[in-house]
Amino acid sequence: SVSPLLVLLCFGAMARVHKHCVIGHGLTGTATCKYLAKAGEDVVLVGPSEGHGAHGACYDEGRIYRILDPLESWARLAERSIENYSSIVDESGVDFYQESGLLIFGVEDDFVRQTREIASRMGTHLEELSPEQLVAHFPWLSPPAVTRVGLLQLQKAGHLSPRKLTAAQLSLATQHGAAYVDDSVASVMRETDDGPFSVFLSGGGCIRAENVLVAAGVYTSVLPLLPEQVVVNLTGAQALLAEISAEDASILSVMPSMIYEGQSDEECFYLLPPIQYPDGSWLLKIGPSTTFAPPLKTVGDVDTWFRQGHLDPAFEKVAWKALHDMFPQITIRSWRALLCVTDSTPTQNAYIDLLSPGWGICSGGNGLAAKSSDEIGHLAAQMMALPSHWGPDPQLPHEWFRAVTPGSLLPTPQLETALAKVESCGEVLSSRVVDALKALTDLLAATPKLRAHADGVAQELRAVLATRWGAAPSVFCCTSAKSRGGTAWAPAHPFIVLVSGSLSVIVIVPA
């Protein structure tokens, strides 16, 4: 709690008031601070450094960077950010990335098909490799027997050090006049609707500012930093860092960053080439795609996860097997655990939005933000500083990045929520239309990645509505606009057509 005396001192007339206070000493917070400072804005960044016990995604040496995310929003953010990597190195003197390329290989699934589509849309060259060509290109790699395809991107892809990128962005921010306070934030208060903010620090100090942007990573939604709640799902993330010899690291010196698509979620991994960590060891990194991710609800859950120091035994087992099977010539000397937290939004996009005048959020990395953090910070800085509260780039519309709050999940009289809407219906009770809309909204809010699996959406929605209605409806999901229209699916039957982004859901209501 904040002492009454500190509140009086902070609200005192003599306290300095900054133009902007950015909360969060991570990848997006430091990037936002840099862009505000470069624009001549008076800005202070506050957040604990790694030396003061901070936890976060930025305290590691290896993250994949690539343009080809299946969602266009993330692909555009990555494209803008990667274009700036060389200038960040030149201006800061911090070399934080290596263009090692990217290899996606395995089964021919939706992820592979979506990658091809976004590459075509964005004009990014991909080299297609057969299993035989994979072995010829990378003789140290033993692709699993189920592998059918390889997609190789040689340029604008590789790996980066989030720790070094954070340091580079902070260095540039302070070079351009930003202030930095190495402390954690206890709470944020505003005495009046149009008055300055008071940002109370855990160490007992206070910062005043006209505007506040909360970019505190996974802590954004579990600490008292926002004017209202946002809908975010927190899950534990983990990776195994396998130590190898310098000689084996030399054998893998041409290894690209890799994404392997197996036959099930448990068999999908990302892998990074050997990286020399600060202690001098060479480490291969392997992590799961979407599985082995326990839910986290409170700040206590988050802190405990970061500090537990060990991996899920089930993940450890499959990770070890994957490394031994794919790299049979490489000897693993030892291993260590790397624990992180993923903050997933139901829109699958980052939140870059104003929740109230002058009080913004920049959060929701969805496990994709490290490589795109520079452009995320650019958009957040424009939102805070420009009169229009958004930049002019038509390829990155603000609507993509709106925050979802609990209230926005409730159906409106227009039969819409923040995540879905009713496109059409026929011969059905209005109560059932609302039921279907609410059920789909709740499913997408609770399980953000579900929208990528149309069959899963259909199965889950059918089960929920069967429980509510006492009889199971027929539910069909598709991603093609041409397939919409309930009457074409079930003439003379009651129907509801729901839309969420590119996803269409047709519910045939039981009699």
Side-chain angles (χ1 to χ4, degrees):
S1 63
V2 179
S3 72
L5 177 59
L6 181 57
V7 173
L8 289 174
L9 290 174
C10 199
F11 285 130
M14 298 301 292
R16 176 185 174 183
V17 178
H18 294 272
K19 180 72 174 178
H20 305 282
C21 177
V22 177
I23 300 173
H25 172 263
L27 288 160
T28 57
T30 53
T32 303
C33 189
K34 176 192 73 173
Y35 279 109
L36 286 170
K38 277 191 166 187
E41 298 283 325
D42 169 31
V43 56
V44 56
L45 176 74
V46 58
S49 64
E50 186 176 12
H52 282 180
H55 301 295
C58 58
Y59 304 119
D60 183 32
E61 293 299 327
R63 289 289 190 280
I64 293 176
Y65 78 83
R66 70 188 195 275
I67 291 177
L68 300 179
D69 274 312
L71 286 179
E72 184 179 354
S73 52
W74 285 107
R76 294 294 178 192
L77 289 170
E79 180 183 48
R80 301 289 195 280
S81 296
I82 293 168
E83 287 174 353
N84 292 335
Y85 283 4
S86 61
S87 63
I88 295 172
V89 172
D90 292 342
E91 293 176 28
S92 68
V94 179
D95 190 3
F96 67 88
Y97 75 103
Q98 182 174 337
E99 191 176 65
S100 60
L102 171 70
L103 174 66
I104 299 171
F105 68 109
V107 300
E108 183 94 19
D109 61 4
D110 286 343
F111 178 81
V112 171
R113 287 186 284 271
Q114 290 166 359
T115 298
R116 282 200 192 95
E117 291 172 6
I118 199 70
S120 175
R121 195 180 313 154
M122 300 189 68
T124 300
H125 176 69
L126 282 178
E127 182 180 355
E128 295 238 6
L129 302 174
S130 67
E132 295 75 23
Q133 290 171 319
L134 275 174
V135 174
H137 270 73
F138 309 110
W140 37 261
L141 176 65
S142 179
V146 298
T147 298
R148 294 293 178 267
V149 65
L151 304 177
L152 181 61
Q153 180 189 352
L154 292 175
Q155 296 181 324
K156 297 184 178 180
H159 60 91
L160 62 83
S161 164
R163 180 182 280 116
K164 292 176 181 176
L165 177 54
T166 300
Q169 300 285 43
L170 180 59
S171 173
L172 293 176
T174 55
Q175 285 177 34
H176 287 86
Y180 171 53
V181 178
D182 189 355
D183 200 351
S184 57
V185 174
S187 63
V188 180
M189 293 176 59
R190 197 177 202 178
E191 189 176 22
T192 61
D193 290 342
D194 57 353
F197 293 88
S198 294
V199 179
F200 297 102
L201 308 180
S202 298
C206 177
I207 295 170
R208 302 198 77 198
E210 295 177 24
N211 303 294
V212 166
L213 178 76
V214 183
V218 299
Y219 288 96
T220 297
S221 60
V222 293
L223 291 175
L225 306 176
L226 300 172
E228 61 178 321
Q229 285 185 312
V230 292
V231 180
V232 174
N233 288 273
L234 301 181
T235 52
Q238 53 194 315
L240 186 148
L241 300 176
E243 183 179 2
I244 63 175
S245 67
E247 292 75 21
D248 280 348
S250 179
I251 293 173
L252 299 180
S253 61
V254 295
M255 175 181 169
S257 295
M258 298 164 60
I259 297 174
Y260 171 68
E261 290 295 295
Q263 292 181 304
S264 67
D265 287 345
E266 291 78 9
E267 297 171 312
C268 294
F269 302 97
Y270 68 85
L271 302 104
L272 276 80
I275 298 171
Q276 191 168 29
Y277 273 62
D279 63 359
S281 59
W282 288 93
L283 301 178
L284 269 173
K285 181 178 181 181
I286 180 170
S289 56
T290 58
T291 51
F292 309 107
L296 308 173
K297 299 295 185 183
T298 67
V299 65
D301 292 343
V302 172
D303 287 340
T304 299
W305 174 259
F306 273 123
R307 292 170 179 157
Q308 75 173 19
H310 62 83
L311 300 176
D312 180 329
F315 164 64
E316 187 180 325
K317 180 179 179 180
V318 296
W320 268 109
K321 184 177 188 307
L323 286 174
H324 284 291
D325 289 350
M326 291 186 192
F327 305 101
Q329 302 174 36
I330 303 301
T331 300
I332 298 174
R333 292 176 159 184
S334 63
W335 66 273
R336 63 189 75 170
L338 179 68
L339 298 172
C340 194
V341 176
T342 301
D343 52 346
S344 301
T345 67
T347 62
Q348 294 189 284
N349 285 321
Y351 289 161
I352 312 172
D353 204 5
L354 290 172
L355 298 179
S356 67
W359 203 336
I361 183 174
C362 181
S363 187
N366 290 271
L368 301 169
K371 64 185 178 299
S372 303
S373 57
D374 189 68
E375 183 60 20
I376 292 173
H378 185 212
L379 294 178
Q382 290 177 318
M383 179 182 73
M384 299 306 293
L386 294 179
S388 63
H389 298 299
W390 201 252
D393 190 343
Q395 292 186 319
L396 290 168
H398 198 182
E399 289 306 312
W400 280 353
F401 307 104
R402 297 289 187 187
V404 176
T405 62
S408 68
L409 298 179
L410 300 176
T412 68
Q414 292 74 36
L415 297 178
E416 295 181 353
T417 69
L419 301 180
K421 66 178 181 179
V422 177
E423 186 173 80
S424 61
C425 58
E427 303 298 325
V428 61
L429 293 173
S430 60
S431 60
R432 292 202 165 184
V433 176
V434 173
D435 278 346
L437 175 60
K438 189 68 167 63
L440 178 61
T441 297
D442 291 346
L443 283 174
L444 297 178
T447 314
K449 296 184 184 299
L450 185 63
R451 69 168 66 239
H453 305 282
D455 290 344
V457 173
Q459 182 178 347
E460 293 291 333
L461 185 59
R462 184 183 301 113
V464 171
L465 293 178
T467 299
R468 293 187 183 181
W469 294 345
S474 298
V475 181
F476 306 92
C477 292
C478 58
T479 56
S480 170
K482 295 179 181 179
S483 299
R484 294 177 185 169
T487 55
W489 287 78
H493 285 272
F495 70 91
I496 306 164
V497 180
L498 304 163
V499 177
S500 177
S502 62
L503 181 70
S504 292
V505 180
I506 298 95
V507 179
I508 310 303
V509 180

